[in-house]
Every structure is written in structure tokens, then in C-alpha cells.
Amino acid sequence: MHLLSSTIAGAFFVGLSSLGAYAATCTHPSVRREWRKLSVVERAEWISAINCLANLPHDDSLTPTVDPSVSNIPPVNTSGSYWDDLVYIHMDLNTKIHSTGLFLPFHRFYVQTIETSMKERCGYTGAFPYWNWSIDAHDVQNSPLFKESDPISGLGGWGDPAKDIQVQDGGFRHLELAYPVPHILRRNFTLQPFLPLSGIPTFTNLSLYANETITPEEVHKLVTWTPGDFVGFQFYMERPQGPHTSVHFILGGDLSGYCPSNSPTPCIVQPTFSANEPMFFFHHAMVDKIWYDWQHANSANFWAYKGGSVQNITSVQALHDWPNGMAPDLSLNSTIPADGMLPEVTIGDVMNTTGGYLCYVYE
């Protein structure tokens, strides 16, 4: 893809025009920092705002757009919280936003949506943090993040196996979640999560230690990925046993989509409800940071974009042929779906984190 061809540049600015006032110049971008750089007070404020969203009522504007036979998720639970509604967006759109050209733009938009909701509904004043998991790749189980047991400022540790791996300490020990059935947040360290996946053809190295894919060396490989090759960059990040998937599975529980013990049979093990786990948004902020760093690593990367709108992960060959989706192709003018909960923006609107709709940088 050529940098800022007339077609791409035009598509981007047409997209921006749809935002109106939202396209105001970003003059004072917030600075997203790694969780360990935050003070105890800042950590407590973030946790409090997440819990606040989980105590707000259901929003009737939530309107699923994917046929349930495709999404394989339960109906909207109107007794759930606003947090549950935000989670449901990810559940409903699962097949549209993974292994398609929407993966990186949607999740950038999604993290921003959470931050905006925290600020507008719960008075949050900070910038959104991220988790640099490459720092902990050598020993995720003993990461300082999972040693934070303080009930106000701690993220809490690994769940108790005797209590359905529910998190027992930290600020989310009482986080009640609606999907797939009502339960408390669950988390369990799993270093070789691919072993049970022998029936899925796209998982080709079942004995892989997942932390091997999230090392500083792997992050460096992504940041220095071939200039302009957005498709290759995305696929290396999102491939079935790549860093994106590995972090989901290492944390287990809700983040990897394993069903609570009280789930009815059958309960499909899938990552649709992975956004239950607040760590989901730390993880995807890190994914976003790596994309941000790649965008800024070479001038050919900043506006580089290409992807299809139809997921095909049926085989290794399908992944080879359509690494980020089949036709119809998406463009910078394509709309990011939001299930009626949020104002819709275009892919072009989220390409630049200081472009007006977005206004942040990474430390």
C-alpha cells in the first residue's frame, strides 16, 4: 500500500467530515501509561470507574445486529449492567471484528468507548492505562499486577480453583457479570492453553507455551514489521497462536471464554464474553500501542490499511488466503459497528490517535 495515495487520503478526509464537531483539532492529547507507572490513587480511580459502570443499569439502546445462529450467544439480559451491555457489543460482533479488517480499528474504538463511558458516566479523569505483557513474558503467573490484592487499588490475583476460579481479592472480587450466565469474575493462569484444542485445525502447535509469543523480541518484530504491510502486521498479531490470542488464554477464565460452572449445557467455549475481564482492555490497549508504535515507526505505515469484511478461519489454507478477511473489502470510509450503543465512526476516524475524534498518545 502506498503512503497517502490520493484515494486513501480522500477516503480518510471524507470519513472525518462525518464527525462534525468531533473532528476538532487534538491539541492536548492524554498520555496512556503502563499500569505500573500509575500511582496508587490513579489505580484506585480506574478500578472505581470500572466498578461504577458495572453498577449502572442496562441501556435499552443496545441492539444486536448479528444473527444469533452466527454469534452463538445468549439473548440480551436486561437485568444486566451497563458494563454487561458494553461486553455484549463484543459478544455480538465477534465474527465481524476478529480475523477481518475491523480487528485493529474496532478494538481501538472499543477501548476509547470504555474510557469515554468511564469519564462521562463515572467521573473518571485519568488516561487509559495499558499492560505491557512483554515485561512479564518470562513469568506471567508472578507478575506484580496479579499480586495486587488491595481491595481499592489492586487488580486481584488468580481465581480460587475450589470456587470456580473466581477472583477472591482486589478491586474486582465482587464484579458481577451477566454473560454467558450470571457469575463473578474468573481468572486462572494457563501456560499451555492450546493442549485441549486438538479439534481446531488452525491451532497447529498444541504444546506451545503461550508466553513464547509475547516476549520483547516478538513485540520488536511487530513494531519493525515490513513497512506498509498492514495485513501481515495484523495477522502476525492476531494469528491463532500469536500474542493477541496467547494473552487471552494465559489469563484463562473469562478472558479466554471458558464457561462458568453454572452454565447450562451446552455452553460453547469461545472468547465472545472475554470483555467481561477488565484486563481485556489493558491487553487491547497494549495491542493498540503496538499498532501505534508500528504506525510511527515508518512513514509508509501510518495510513496503511487493507482488509476484508468476512471472517474465514475454517482452515490453515483459509487463513493463508484471507489473513484478515474475505471480500467485500473494507476501506477507510467503512463504518465501525456499535450495536446502537454508541455514535458510529469510520475506520478512517480511528487511524490517527491525535486526529480529533481520538486524542491520545502512548508513553
Side-chain angles (χ1 to χ4, degrees):
M1 179 173 290
H2 298 289
L3 176 66
L4 278 178
S5 69
S6 59
T7 300
I8 292 176
F12 174 69
F13 288 112
V14 168
L16 262 187
S17 67
S18 67
L19 285 173
Y22 289 102
T25 303
C26 170
T27 55
H28 297 93
S30 63
V31 180
R32 292 185 173 181
R33 294 176 291 155
E34 212 272 341
W35 177 255
R36 280 163 275 216
K37 298 285 187 70
L38 272 60
S39 69
V40 171
V41 171
E42 288 171 324
R43 296 179 191 182
E45 183 188 12
W46 187 87
I47 290 171
S48 175
I50 295 292
N51 284 321
C52 167
L53 293 178
N55 283 297
L56 296 177
H58 163 70
D59 187 335
D60 289 333
S61 64
L62 174 61
T63 308
T65 55
V66 177
D67 190 304
S69 68
V70 175
S71 62
N72 287 316
I73 59 174
V76 172
N77 183 344
T78 57
S79 65
S81 69
Y82 186 74
W83 176 261
D84 294 318
D85 293 339
L86 295 171
V87 170
Y88 200 91
I89 297 172
H90 185 266
M91 294 172 60
D92 180 54
L93 299 175
N94 182 53
T95 57
K96 291 186 174 183
I97 58 176
H98 298 103
S99 299
T100 73
L102 277 172
F103 173 69
L104 290 168
F106 173 84
H107 286 87
R108 175 173 281 182
F109 166 75
Y110 195 35
V111 173
Q112 180 62 43
T113 291
I114 299 299
E115 178 180 340
T116 300
S117 296
M118 292 165 68
K119 289 180 175 180
E120 293 181 351
R121 295 170 180 262
C122 296
Y124 181 64
T125 60
F128 208 91
Y130 65 94
W131 171 31
N132 185 346
W133 24 256
S134 71
I135 296 173
D136 301 307
H138 66 290
D139 190 4
V140 176
Q141 187 172 19
N142 292 303
S143 165
L145 274 69
F146 303 112
K147 301 292 185 181
E148 297 176 348
S149 60
D150 187 276
I152 304 298
S153 61
L155 296 171
W158 305 105
D160 184 347
K163 298 180 179 178
D164 193 27
I165 59 172
Q166 292 179 4
V167 173
Q168 301 295 303
D169 57 6
F172 299 123
R173 67 197 181 284
H174 300 309
L175 182 59
E176 297 181 1
L177 304 159
Y179 301 108
V181 293
H183 68 283
I184 299 297
L185 178 67
R186 300 155 60 253
R187 186 187 294 157
N188 69 308
F189 175 70
T190 312
L191 191 56
Q192 286 184 288
F194 306 112
L195 290 173
L197 304 179
S198 58
I200 304 176
T202 52
F203 290 91
T204 58
N205 183 3
L206 300 183
S207 62
L208 178 71
Y209 289 86
N211 64 327
E212 295 177 13
T213 72
I214 63 172
T215 62
E217 292 77 16
E218 288 295 289
V219 171
H220 177 74
K221 188 181 296 185
L222 279 161
V223 173
T224 58
W225 193 262
T226 306
D229 182 16
F230 178 87
V231 174
F233 171 83
Q234 178 189 323
F235 184 71
Y236 197 77
M237 170 67 79
E238 198 194 6
R239 69 193 193 278
Q241 291 181 267
H244 165 252
T245 304
S246 290
V247 173
H248 276 269
F249 281 3
I250 287 174
L251 266 62
D254 281 276
L255 195 62
S256 64
Y258 280 87
C259 299
S261 61
N262 60 331
S263 300
T265 303
C267 176
I268 299 172
V269 176
Q270 57 177 333
T272 56
F273 57 88
S274 56
N276 276 339
E277 162 71 90
M279 294 295 296
F280 173 101
F281 296 96
F282 280 4
H283 170 36
H284 275 280
M286 176 61 176
V287 170
D288 184 57
K289 180 184 185 300
I290 295 172
W291 180 25
Y292 170 95
D293 288 343
W294 180 72
Q295 285 184 293
H296 288 81
N298 189 290
S299 61
N301 299 343
F302 200 89
W303 300 109
Y305 180 77
K306 180 178 175 61
S309 60
V310 178
Q311 179 192 86
N312 189 338
I313 53 175
T314 56
S315 66
V316 173
Q317 186 61 48
L319 287 174
H320 177 270
D321 293 339
W322 301 289
N324 74 338
M326 301 191 305
D329 287 342
L330 298 165
S331 73
L332 296 183
N333 265 341
S334 299
T335 299
I336 298 174
D339 277 2
M341 287 275 290
L342 312 157
E344 292 184 339
V345 299
T346 68
I347 292 170
D349 295 327
V350 301
M351 292 294 288
N352 182 0
T353 69
T354 56
Y357 167 67
L358 300 175
C359 193
Y360 67 84
V361 295
Y362 283 100
E363 186 179 72

